[in-house]
Amino acid sequence: QVQLVESGGGLVRPGGSLRLSCVGSGFTFGTYAMTWFRQAPGKELESVADITHNSDRTVYAHFAKGRFTISRDNEKNVLYLQMNNLKDEDTAVYYCNAHGASRASSLLPWGQGTQVTVSS
């Protein structure tokens, strides 16, 4: 079965850090450009960061630039998101999927996501 399983979220204070992981299985992970997405309560799904299949290019949303780092380990089929200097507005459920995915159309199935809560 094709799966994406996110983990690593939790409750952190403003200014804190988290490292999220996304484990892919049932498909050739290393051939897919991947994206971290997030969805805050009452908000639309938005892209956080993108990475090419071989890590030769990364792209960040404006709010993530300078604070978040996307990376991957194709031998382990894992996508990572290092999140530093977290802010209250980063609170959301974080998901991974293939680059270009949307709720309406995705090549890979959406996982459960992992909750990130930033609060004092």
Side-chain angles (χ1 to χ4, degrees), residues 3-60:
Q3 289 188 124
L4 292 169
V5 180
E6 301 92 346
S7 63
L11 173 64
V12 296
R13 303 301 192 199
S17 297
L18 284 173
R19 190 191 195 204
L20 308 184
S21 297
C22 166
V23 179
S25 60
F27 67 101
T28 309
F29 180 86
T31 68
Y32 288 78
M34 298 294 290
T35 299
W36 279 102
F37 301 85
R38 72 183 188 184
Q39 188 165 28
K43 305 294 184 181
E44 295 295 313
L45 188 75
E46 63 181 347
S47 295
V48 176
D50 305 316
I51 188 167
T52 55
H53 76 282
N54 61 356
S55 300
D56 68 350
R57 179 174 292 190
T58 56
V59 178
Y60 297 90

Side-chain angles (χ1 to χ4, degrees), residues 19-118:
R19 190 191 195 204
L20 308 184
S21 297
C22 166
V23 179
S25 60
F27 67 101
T28 309
F29 180 86
T31 68
Y32 288 78
M34 298 294 290
T35 299
W36 279 102
F37 301 85
R38 72 183 188 184
Q39 188 165 28
K43 305 294 184 181
E44 295 295 313
L45 188 75
E46 63 181 347
S47 295
V48 176
D50 305 316
I51 188 167
T52 55
H53 76 282
N54 61 356
S55 300
D56 68 350
R57 179 174 292 190
T58 56
V59 178
Y60 297 90
H62 182 264
F63 61 79
K65 197 177 300 292
R67 299 190 298 127
F68 297 177
T69 302
I70 188 171
S71 63
R72 65 194 298 163
D73 184 339
N74 288 342
E75 292 188 350
K76 296 181 178 180
N77 291 350
V78 182
L79 178 72
Y80 301 102
L81 184 68
Q82 178 66 48
M83 309 168 68
N84 298 325
N85 191 25
L86 285 160
K87 305 176 183 298
D88 291 345
E89 52 264 42
D90 294 319
T91 295
V93 179
Y94 285 70
Y95 302 89
C96 62
N97 213 304
H99 176 70
S102 68
R103 288 299 194 188
S105 179
S106 63
L107 184 60
L108 304 173
W110 291 94
Q112 294 292 112
T114 186
Q115 175 71 232
V116 171
T117 303
V118 185

